[in-house]
Amino acid sequence: MASKVFVYVDHFNGQILPASLEAIGAAKTAALALGSSLTALVLGEQTQSLAAQAIQHGADDAWVAEDAKLKDFRPEAYASVVAKALQEAAPEVFMLPTTARTRELAAMVAVDLSTGVAPDVVAFEIKDGKLLATRPVYGGKIFAKVVISQALPQIVLIRSRVFPGPEADPAKSGPVKKIEAAVGEVKSEVLGYKPSDGGVSLTDAAVIVSGGRGVSNNPSLTPPAEITDEREKEIWRAQQGFQLLRELAAALGGAVGASRAAVDAGYVPYAFQVGQTGKVVSPDLYIACGVSGAIQHLAGMRTSKTIVAINKDAEAPIFKLARFGIVGDLYEVLPALTKELRARLGK
Amino acid sequence: MNIVVCVKQTPDTAATVTVQDGKVSWGDSPLVINPWDEFAVEQALRTKEAHGGKVTALSLGPESAKEALKHALAMGCDEAVLVSDPGITAPDSLVVSAVLAAAIAKIGEVDLVFFGRQAVDSDTGITGAQVARRLGWPSLSLVAAVTALDAAAKSISVARMLDEGRQEVKAPLPAVVSVVKEICEPRYPSFMGIRKASKAPLPVWSLADIGISAPPQSALTWPEVFAPPKIETRCEVVEGDSPAAKAAALAARLIEEKVI
């Protein structure tokens, strides 16, 4: 008999994502509560090692679809294969990690199967055989318990870095079933790919060093003579200043983020923005430098496990959320902190 | 180009949102056009300005949602349509996408549909992809730039902002595009635009008008809403005689507490 719980394994560049492992762990919990086994669903050009890893991390078996047409993730192709597999297996729960790819995939599968989708889920319980999921709404200002009651499967996307990723058992194996890759007509074509700077994705990062408007108060640098406009000078100084954040992030193996104020002022691109209208993150450590702590920014990082605030203004709202604070000029504190951490961490 | 831009009316992101009597409340804060949708409207207008055609703003919601549509008209949209029907209560994205897809089909001969990446109230970010699926069109989500648009050959190329970087994708038209903030800077409604918007006809379509006989049912419900758990923190301000001393003290505390 097929499992009542299926979990989707998202991968990139042939690597299983940490978020996928977390989803496998969460799905295993759901499967145990429903008295069921757990099946991993893996699509791609080469899926064998990914399926084996999913099983080592807690899935009981795996269904795989392999096809050259599945080499690039294209939502319409992946959705057709996933919807067909779910129709055949008729699970009660379909769990996925929340990524850019899976959000679109789940959306389309839900249309095909006329069911509901709960993205960004941070907690769930199984009650009378139904899954009751908790997710932040209104930019995290409110939590909603949601239930998908009208149709199956209940599609649940769990948020990254909320559920623990299970340890691998290298000795564990399980059956892998090949399923038909009924891709159908695919209209879109992936032309190319450019990885983001720094290599650490904000949503996966365990440490984030974030800069706000305060980064513009760079005391030491003189912009090149060809920059005459005052605003351009400010942007130039802040952009140089972000280098200090990059160095601290590198010492901690983390990523660099920014507040909306810093992005709107043109210091760094939008891809860096953390907050209600940027990325929502929950790293182990979030170091906010020159960030005052507007409500929209707090919405995007308040679930960070430890927050450190470095700000000249002792009254900045960010200190209300922080576990540790330094009242001081980030341009004095950050180089000292980077040096100190490099020495202590042996880097 | 026949362009549709879908907009939603939401509370402002600066609103203090609370739970009162088991319901979400934003007090006296104004309802506005969903902030993401302003970028979608701007991109729709720029596409029209570059390639000709018209832009229709489309919304599903109560009568009050006309205000979000008027904002889109004031920015420069040519037409606006509200779908409103007493049969639609507490719609989930499955219902919203069914209604929007039917309305887009009624508008007819549409080349491009723009969405903001998500609505700042329900925060799901899936409606655009669901509309694309229903229409059988390509879905291009999280678009940070339209890199090429060939109206004659009916094709579009975009840069999408994924978690790991930027992906270039090409697709035939018609297509559904959801945009992120990086794509453009929304213009402010002009005084003339606001005057024009206040006088513009704003048709309201019922479900019957768009060919839906029975109100679609939500698959998903919110049986409970509540304030997020309070974060119990007292900030430990690390002291020291110099920035270096403060930095050293902080590093020591982070290591002591096993944060790093």
Side-chain angles (χ1 to χ4, degrees):
Chain A
M1 207 184 96
S3 299
K4 288 180 186 169
V5 182
F6 268 57
V7 63
Y8 177 80
V9 178
D10 192 27
H11 51 91
F12 182 75
N13 265 349
Q15 302 287 317
I16 202 163
L17 298 183
S20 290
L21 300 180
E22 293 160 18
I24 292 169
K28 184 72 181 177
T29 307
L32 289 171
L34 287 164
S36 159
S37 60
L38 173 65
T39 300
L41 189 53
V42 192
L43 277 62
E45 195 178 31
Q46 288 181 333
T47 54
Q48 294 301 324
S49 77
L50 298 171
Q53 278 184 63
I55 290 169
Q56 285 169 3
H57 281 89
D60 297 289
D61 63 337
W63 285 20
V64 301
E66 276 187 346
D67 194 292
K69 279 200 258 180
L70 297 173
K71 177 176 179 285
D72 291 315
F73 176 89
R74 286 171 298 173
E76 56 268 56
Y78 272 57
S80 299
V81 178
V82 169
K84 189 164 177 290
L86 295 177
Q87 259 157 357
E88 185 186 328
E92 287 176 23
V93 175
F94 179 44
M95 214 171 262
L96 311 88
T98 306
T99 67
R101 287 177 291 275
T102 56
R103 201 182 283 271
E104 214 172 5
L105 170 67
M108 292 188 174
V109 170
V111 165
D112 287 10
L113 304 178
S114 295
T115 188
V117 180
D120 299 303
V121 167
V122 295
F124 65 86
E125 61 198 282
I126 304 283
K127 214 171 165 182
D128 307 325
K130 292 298 284 186
L131 193 144
L132 197 60
T134 300
R135 60 179 302 259
V137 291
Y138 293 88
K141 294 169 196 164
I142 297 289
F143 278 39
K145 285 196 175 177
V146 300
V147 62
I148 298 158
S149 48
Q150 300 300 322
L152 293 177
Q154 305 161 69
I155 302 182
V156 177
L157 294 96
I158 67 152
R159 177 168 275 184
S160 294
R161 302 191 51 81
V162 174
F163 296 87
E167 293 291 320
D169 174 2
K172 189 166 172 275
S173 65
V176 175
K177 175 178 152 177
K178 280 209 174 197
I179 58 168
E180 194 194 339
V183 175
E185 189 196 4
V186 190
K187 293 173 177 167
S188 61
E189 180 191 350
V190 175
L191 301 177
Y193 193 80
K194 202 165 83 189
S196 46
D197 299 338
V200 183
S201 119
L202 267 178
T203 36
D204 287 339
V207 178
I208 293 172
V209 181
S210 223
R213 260 329 268 248
V215 182
S216 67
N217 303 324
N218 192 338
S220 59
L221 286 157
T222 314
E226 60 265 28
I227 301 178
T228 51
D229 183 67
E230 281 307 314
R231 203 176 110 76
E232 293 292 317
K233 284 184 187 170
E234 174 195 312
I235 292 173
W236 188 88
R237 279 198 203 95
Q239 284 174 343
Q240 306 303 312
F242 260 92
Q243 191 53 34
L244 293 183
L245 279 75
R246 284 194 189 91
E247 283 164 20
L248 176 57
L252 292 164
V256 174
S259 71
R260 173 173 151 182
V263 171
D264 285 354
Y267 306 160
V268 284
Y270 169 63
F272 286 71
Q273 187 177 319
V274 170
Q276 188 171 4
T277 52
K279 291 211 168 84
V280 176
V281 298
S282 36
D284 295 334
L285 173 60
Y286 189 91
I287 305 179
C289 312
V291 172
S292 66
I295 189 167
Q296 295 94 334
H297 186 72
L298 303 185
M301 45 65 81
R302 67 192 298 280
T303 54
S304 305
K305 288 180 190 71
T306 302
I307 295 166
V308 172
I310 299 171
N311 205 305
K312 279 206 273 201
D313 175 11
E315 302 299 315
I318 189 77
F319 285 111
K320 292 206 170 65
L321 207 63
R323 171 78 181 83
F324 298 105
I326 289 183
V327 180
D329 185 346
L330 70 95
Y331 280 95
E332 293 172 349
V333 174
L334 285 191
L337 186 59
T338 304
K339 194 176 155 200
E340 189 69 31
L341 288 170
R342 275 190 191 139
R344 284 176 181 260
L345 301 172
K347 283 182 184 167
Chain B
M1 292 293 240
N2 194 6
I3 301 163
V4 172
V5 56
C6 295
V7 302
K8 184 178 184 181
Q9 193 186 36
T10 63
D12 191 88
T13 56
T16 303
V17 186
T18 56
V19 174
Q20 278 174 4
D21 305 326
K23 286 207 166 88
V24 176
S25 162
W26 45 89
D28 299 331
S29 291
L31 287 166
V32 296
I33 184 170
N34 174 40
W36 296 103
D37 298 347
E38 290 188 70
F39 297 88
V41 171
E42 177 65 36
Q43 191 57 35
L45 295 173
R46 289 185 189 191
T47 307
K48 174 198 144 178
E49 283 154 9
H51 300 276
K54 74 169 184 182
V55 178
T56 306
L58 172 65
S59 189
L60 164 65
E63 191 73 15
S64 66
K66 278 185 174 175
E67 292 307 316
L69 288 168
K70 282 184 187 164
H71 185 99
L73 284 169
M75 283 176 75
C77 290
D78 302 283
E79 292 174 16
V81 176
L82 176 68
V83 182
S84 200
D85 194 295
I88 305 170
T89 51
D92 65 355
S93 64
L94 205 61
V95 171
V96 175
S97 63
V99 171
L100 293 179
I104 290 162
K106 180 178 162 84
I107 291 168
E109 306 288 326
V110 171
D111 299 298
L112 265 172
V113 178
F114 285 102
F115 278 87
R117 70 169 285 177
Q118 69 191 57
V120 298
D121 49 5
S122 54
D123 276 333
T124 60
I126 61 176
T127 307
Q130 295 201 320
V131 167
R133 190 68 168 179
R134 289 185 187 281
L135 294 168
W137 299 353
S139 163
L140 303 166
S141 68
L142 305 173
V143 168
V146 174
T147 49
L149 180 60
D150 189 331
K154 298 236 166 211
S155 85
I156 185 168
S157 295
V158 299
R160 301 179 57 208
M161 205 170 84
L162 301 188
D163 302 319
E164 300 88 359
R166 285 162 87 97
Q167 184 194 47
E168 297 272 337
V169 185
K170 184 178 178 183
L173 299 180
V176 176
V177 172
S178 85
V179 306
V180 297
K181 277 174 72 177
E182 197 172 280
I183 197 162
C184 57
E185 189 62 42
R187 70 193 68 183
Y188 289 105
S190 64
F191 178 68
M192 286 303 286
I194 294 167
R195 276 190 55 175
K196 210 175 121 192
S198 68
K199 290 178 191 156
L202 219 161
V204 179
W205 292 350
S206 67
L207 285 178
D209 290 332
I210 55 173
I212 296 178
S213 50
Q217 295 300 308
S218 293
L220 183 143
T221 52
W222 295 10
E224 194 183 331
V225 286
F226 55 98
K230 271 257 181 294
I231 300 172
E232 297 292 342
T233 45
R234 257 213 2 249
C235 184
E236 182 182 322
V237 177
V238 178
E239 302 290 354
D241 295 338
S242 64
K246 288 179 185 175
L250 174 63
R253 290 293 289 130
L254 291 176
I255 290 167
E256 255 171 57
E257 299 277 313
K258 296 192 167 56
V259 176
I260 49 173

